Every structure is written in C-alpha cells, then in structure tokens.
Amino acid sequence: MTDKKVPPPPVLPPPFKVIDNFCLFHKGTIQGETYTCPKCKTKYCLECAKKAKLGGKLCIKCKQLVIA
Ligand SMILES: [Zn+2]
Ligand SMILES: [Zn+2]
C-alpha cells in the first residue's frame, strides 16, 4: 500500500487585478482625463468626478469631497 501523502491543492484566493485606471464611479476604465482624490489618491474619470461633485457624492474610498 502506498501511503503517499498528496498535498492538497493550494487554495489561493483569485488574483485580484489591480487596475490602475479603474473608475469606481462608473465602474469601468477611466476615459479621457483623470481626477485624483487629494486624500487617498484614488483615480476617477474627470467627467465622473464632476458629476459626483454636482451630485454631492463623496470619494468612494475615503469619503473625501470631490473637488473636480
Ligand atoms: Zn479619496
Ligand atoms: Zn468614471
């Protein structure tokens, strides 16, 4: 009898793709000009940031006021 211990397959979390130019407002790739949150440096589309400012929305990550 073979008593070879087969190592269990590694259970790794799926690799989280860090997309640098990902806008959390429209949940897609940043198009055109970029707005960077002054507090957390999260990047958004400038267009989305402007809309967020008008809509009184805050930075999704740090809740800093959008000052586009
Ligand atoms: Zn922020
Ligand atoms: Zn956007």
Side-chain angles (χ1 to χ4, degrees):
M1 246 182 93
T2 51
D3 196 24
K4 256 190 183 172
K5 276 252 163 96
V6 180
V11 184
L12 292 168
F16 180 70
K17 263 194 182 172
V18 179
I19 307 161
D20 193 45
N21 58 342
F22 187 82
C23 169
L24 287 166
F25 280 131
H26 81 269
K27 296 195 168 53
T29 314
I30 293 169
Q31 309 283 336
E33 286 188 80
T34 309
Y35 167 79
T36 308
C37 172
K39 197 176 172 188
C40 68
K41 311 294 178 202
T42 299
K43 285 175 187 168
Y44 301 103
C45 320
L46 187 61
E47 283 306 305
C48 285
K50 280 179 182 172
K51 279 182 214 161
K53 187 192 168 191
L54 290 171
K57 288 183 191 171
L58 305 171
C59 171
I60 289 169
K61 281 209 176 159
C62 71
K63 311 295 178 200
Q64 169 79 18
L65 270 172
V66 175
I67 42 160

